[in-house]
Amino acid sequence: MTSQVSRTTEQADGTVVGEQRRPGGVKAVRRLDRVIIRFAGDSGDGMQLTGDRFTSETASFGNDLSTLPNFPAEIRAPAGTLPGVSSFQLHFADHDILTPGDAPNVLVAMNPAALKANIGDLPRGAEIIVNTDEFTKRAMQKVGYDTSPLEDGSLDGYSLHPVPLTTLTVEALKEFDLTRKEAERSKNMFALGLLSWMYHRPTEGTERFLKQKFARKPEVMNANLAAFRAGWNFGETTEDFAVSYEIAPATTAFPVGTYRNISGNLALAYGLVTASRQADLPLFLGSYPITPASDILHELSKHKNFGVRTFQAEDEIAGIGAALGAAFGGSLAVTTTSGPGVALKAETVGLAVSLELPLLVVDIQRGGPSTGLPTKTEQADLLQAMYGRNGEAPVPVIAPRTPADCFDAALEAARIALTYRTPVMLLSDGYLANGSEPWRIPDLEELPDLQVQFAQGPNHTLEDGTEVFWPYKRDPQTLARPWAIPGTPGLEHRIGGIEKQDGSGNISYDPANHDFMVRTRQAKIDGIAVPDVEVDDPDGARTLVLGWGSTYGPITAAVRRLRRAGESIAQAHLRHLNPFPRNLGAVLGGYDKVVIPEMNLGQLATLIRAKYLVDAHSYNQVNGMPFKAEQLAEALKEAIHD
């Protein structure tokens, strides 16, 4: 048996590196505690599929992970142009992580545009794998390269691996009856095979996936399998890659349980189905396709066996109208959309407030205004969710904080809607919707009981002794009105948008009654039972960073960095934005400074200042991308010492 040499070092960024090198020319294996990889190419190069498959194998291996898919806004931008670059970033580690990472350690660039669009994010010393076949004079000129960056010394500060991916793929597939263009389409699988070798990823899942996906096209299936295996073999045999890497499973990062990789939109869909089963109600989705919410419609349409009905409407207004009708009929009703769709649905949300029926309005936020940035993320719909309706029309607002948390947020939104008979706004965003992380599949006994009691008979006695049904006679604890299924004998009642008389539900123009009903609807929302906000403050800090929604990961990562550096800072994160947790005012009053990072121009900060008279400091970003942990850490450090 040959001996081996081992050594362990720590890099400047804190990454632990261990290396095993065996004599006799065998390649070294370097151990890392984490790595960030970005796949980038044309939108037609299959980068999202490549990243998704690498992620699935990484999840099955047991690493903690976080992903950031980044799509071009155009369905098919001109090939080789900067607007057409599609990328997929994956951060995986042997310990608990919270973000897709600030800067990639490895960039796989399929063409000059991919290199040009992403090189600015790479730290010096990062590895770059480029498809040299695409670096033609015309392709480079298209993105502004006068000379080849592979030859002019501009990449000397990086570890460059020039690989003719296209040529190698075509050569590997020469035995198949494919045109060159058809063979070139498999180059993403060659790249995936190479990266799978570099990072010791399992391969069985990807091979199984390809066999299932192309089962009806055996020639395509075999070509993709051959390209994938050729990429793996290339890594094993080429002289250019002298080192491969190992990142051990994150055995201590997760509680005991069964895990799977899940995206935010998929978690939301599963949460909605689970809520309907826990409530013993059919699930109805009335929706109009819109980026980045469409995947929820796609997923729910697959689950008719769970009593799910999906209706793809002709427009946003029809979608929510159908959903509200389903709520009246006794379904757990949902409509999904993004910011522009919320604007169109506003009148019907107001109608749902007046009718006091349970309805989930799911807003997957994106960059605005108007069409804005359809494929980029933002948190700028908070004030629209709070106030974007005519009249006094309050609705509860909740926001998940991670992709996996979208499952629990869906259950919580359903609990509030069903218990208090109200529409609920659920604010996710593009970062959560498309990003993914490990999710522990819950045990059935952990799920909440959401069952509701429909009205069964008269609930009020008139002065003459007649027993009648009053649709607006309220539960004294929740102020919720009874929910009567249409067609139930004796429970006929009127609905509509005109103001109702308290109790009877008859049309009323009485000023005093309107004042009472407005205040009662507000009191119902104000009285919703929500958990207290939890504060993470181990050192008695004087500065609190307060966040909501998808800023949780970057904020928490930044707070960890600061504490490792000896700084004292507290952290709190809001799920419930209307009503706020009961203890929030006391929490805010306990700190000298409150900093609120948001991917908008300060919408939560505006609400906090108005309600609690706290001089909250905003830290804002609206560039369509999530915060970077290092960026936030610097801003928070300045706030601590200001």
Side-chain angles (χ1 to χ4, degrees):
M1 179 178 293
T2 59
S3 62
Q4 67 181 28
V5 179
S6 300
R7 70 170 182 267
T8 301
T9 60
E10 183 170 329
Q11 296 181 333
D13 64 357
T15 301
V16 176
V17 177
E19 185 172 301
Q20 295 180 346
R21 185 180 296 274
R22 296 178 175 84
V26 179
K27 293 185 177 183
V29 179
R30 187 171 298 169
R31 296 192 308 275
L32 305 175
D33 70 344
R34 65 184 180 91
V35 72
I36 303 167
I37 300 174
R38 183 181 296 177
F39 299 92
D42 265 335
S43 56
D45 283 339
M47 294 297 94
Q48 302 304 322
L49 175 62
T50 304
D52 182 69
R53 289 313 315 158
F54 195 92
T55 299
S56 295
E57 298 295 1
T58 297
S60 69
F61 188 73
N63 296 117
D64 195 10
L65 61 89
S66 180
T67 68
L68 178 62
N70 190 8
F71 309 93
E74 291 80 2
I75 293 175
R76 190 67 176 94
T81 62
L82 293 174
V85 173
S86 175
S87 68
F88 188 105
Q89 183 163 305
L90 167 67
H91 182 191
F92 61 104
D94 65 2
H95 58 277
D96 176 35
I97 58 173
L98 296 156
T99 74
D102 288 356
N105 307 114
V106 181
L107 171 66
V108 179
M110 302 298 282
N111 59 22
L115 179 64
K116 184 76 173 285
N118 292 282
I119 189 66
D121 293 336
L122 269 63
R124 307 298 281 183
E127 292 193 79
I128 304 175
I129 300 172
V130 294
N131 180 14
T132 56
D133 289 327
E134 296 297 322
F135 278 73
T136 63
K137 183 177 181 180
R138 183 172 182 273
M140 289 187 289
Q141 289 177 341
K142 192 180 293 187
V143 296
Y145 282 129
D146 296 326
T147 59
S148 173
L150 309 183
E151 301 170 354
D152 64 7
S154 60
L155 301 179
D156 287 349
Y158 305 94
S159 178
L160 181 64
H161 300 281
V163 180
L165 285 172
T166 306
T167 299
L168 291 171
T169 302
V170 172
E171 178 64 22
L173 303 183
K174 63 182 180 181
E175 64 184 78
F176 296 92
D177 185 21
L178 299 172
T179 66
R180 180 179 176 86
K181 187 175 182 179
E182 290 171 336
E184 288 177 1
R185 291 174 183 164
S186 297
K187 62 180 181 291
N188 64 322
M189 287 297 105
F190 189 100
L192 178 60
L194 173 58
L195 269 293
S196 298
W197 171 84
M198 283 183 65
Y199 290 95
H200 294 249
R201 299 296 90 186
T203 59
E204 295 82 3
T206 294
E207 294 202 0
R208 186 165 55 250
F209 167 82
L210 292 172
K211 290 175 182 177
Q212 292 173 350
K213 182 176 178 63
F214 300 111
R216 297 183 179 181
K217 299 178 180 179
E219 192 75 8
V220 176
M221 175 189 71
N222 291 327
N224 277 282
L225 286 170
F228 177 66
R229 292 164 182 164
W232 198 96
N233 291 330
F234 177 76
E236 180 73 10
T237 57
T238 184
E239 296 294 327
D240 193 41
F241 293 92
V243 177
S244 64
Y245 303 91
E246 286 185 348
I247 297 89
T251 53
T252 62
F254 309 119
V256 175
T258 302
Y259 287 81
R260 60 155 295 166
N261 183 51
I262 200 165
S263 68
N265 274 352
L266 184 58
L268 255 174
Y270 286 176
L272 293 171
V273 175
T274 303
S276 76
R277 293 298 82 212
Q278 293 302 107
D280 196 23
L281 296 174
L283 178 65
F284 181 90
L285 173 68
S287 184
Y288 180 75
I290 184 172
T291 302
S294 300
D295 284 343
I296 303 174
L297 170 62
H298 300 159
E299 182 61 33
L300 288 179
S301 68
K302 303 174 184 178
H303 298 291
K304 296 180 178 65
N305 56 313
F306 288 115
V308 178
R309 293 183 179 180
T310 54
F311 170 57
Q312 181 174 319
E314 66 269 29
D315 56 41
E316 295 281 4
I317 299 171
I320 190 173
L324 185 56
F328 179 61
S331 293
L332 176 60
V334 185
T335 188
T336 52
T337 188
S338 190
V342 173
L344 291 167
K345 295 177 189 290
E347 183 179 6
T348 307
V349 175
L351 176 59
V353 170
S354 176
L355 300 183
E356 299 188 47
L357 286 170
L359 174 68
L360 305 187
V361 182
V362 178
D363 176 8
I364 313 298
Q365 300 167 95
R366 71 188 202 188
S370 188
T371 308
L373 305 175
T375 61
K376 309 301 179 183
T377 194
E378 206 162 275
Q379 285 183 301
D381 294 349
L382 176 56
L383 294 182
Q384 179 179 221
M386 288 285 292
Y387 303 119
R389 293 161 296 283
N390 64 296
E392 296 288 345
V395 299
V397 181
I398 71 172
R401 64 186 189 179
T402 68
D405 189 48
C406 289
F407 177 86
D408 295 313
L411 287 170
E412 176 67 355
R415 177 191 73 85
I416 293 173
L418 295 172
T419 302
Y420 296 90
R421 310 289 198 266
T422 177
V424 176
M425 298 288 298
L426 192 156
L427 298 181
S428 179
D429 61 44
Y431 172 36
L432 296 183
N434 297 317
S436 64
E437 66 176 351
W439 170 59
R440 186 179 70 84
I441 300 172
D443 295 328
L444 288 177
E445 55 268 21
E446 298 173 19
L447 300 173
D449 182 359
L450 300 178
Q451 291 197 46
V452 297
Q453 291 295 323
F454 292 112
Q456 298 298 321
N459 61 358
H460 183 74
T461 303
L462 300 176
E463 292 182 0
D464 63 3
T466 304
E467 292 187 337
V468 297
F469 174 67
W470 272 16
Y472 281 84
K473 187 168 185 176
R474 300 178 184 279
D475 181 288
Q477 298 299 319
T478 65
L479 298 182
R481 77 173 186 88
W483 193 2
I485 298 296
T488 306
L491 302 190
E492 297 85 359
H493 59 284
R494 176 182 287 121
I495 64 169
I498 298 177
E499 184 63 280
K500 315 295 185 298
Q501 185 181 50
D502 177 43
S504 71
N506 294 328
I507 290 175
S508 174
Y509 297 100
D510 178 64
N513 177 77
H514 176 61
D515 184 273
F516 178 81
M517 293 294 279
V518 166
R519 295 180 187 275
T520 300
R521 286 188 289 262
Q522 183 65 58
K524 182 173 70 170
I525 304 306
D526 292 341
I528 292 173
V530 303
D532 284 347
V533 64
E534 297 180 358
V535 183
D536 176 17
D537 185 5
D539 303 317
R542 304 313 307 155
T543 299
L544 171 73
V545 54
L546 179 68
W548 70 277
S550 67
T551 57
Y552 173 78
I555 289 175
T556 306
V559 166
R560 289 181 181 179
R561 290 190 184 199
L562 289 172
R563 289 176 180 170
R564 285 197 300 266
E567 302 288 352
S568 180
I569 188 168
Q571 178 187 1
H573 207 79
L574 295 174
R575 165 177 281 180
H576 296 88
L577 298 158
N578 192 35
F580 285 129
R582 302 283 187 272
N583 68 331
L584 181 57
V587 166
L588 296 173
Y591 292 90
D592 296 337
K593 296 177 183 176
V594 177
V595 183
I596 304 179
E598 300 180 77
M599 293 187 294
N600 57 47
L601 294 182
Q603 297 188 15
L604 176 61
T606 297
L607 296 174
I608 293 295
R609 291 177 189 132
K611 185 172 180 64
Y612 299 105
L613 303 181
V614 170
D615 186 20
H617 301 270
S618 282
Y619 183 73
N620 308 115
Q621 171 179 297
V622 281
N623 62 4
M625 298 294 289
F627 284 112
K628 292 182 178 180
E630 181 179 5
Q631 161 197 2
L632 273 181
E634 288 298 321
L636 295 175
K637 183 177 180 180
E638 290 181 11
I640 293 171
H641 296 286
D642 185 10

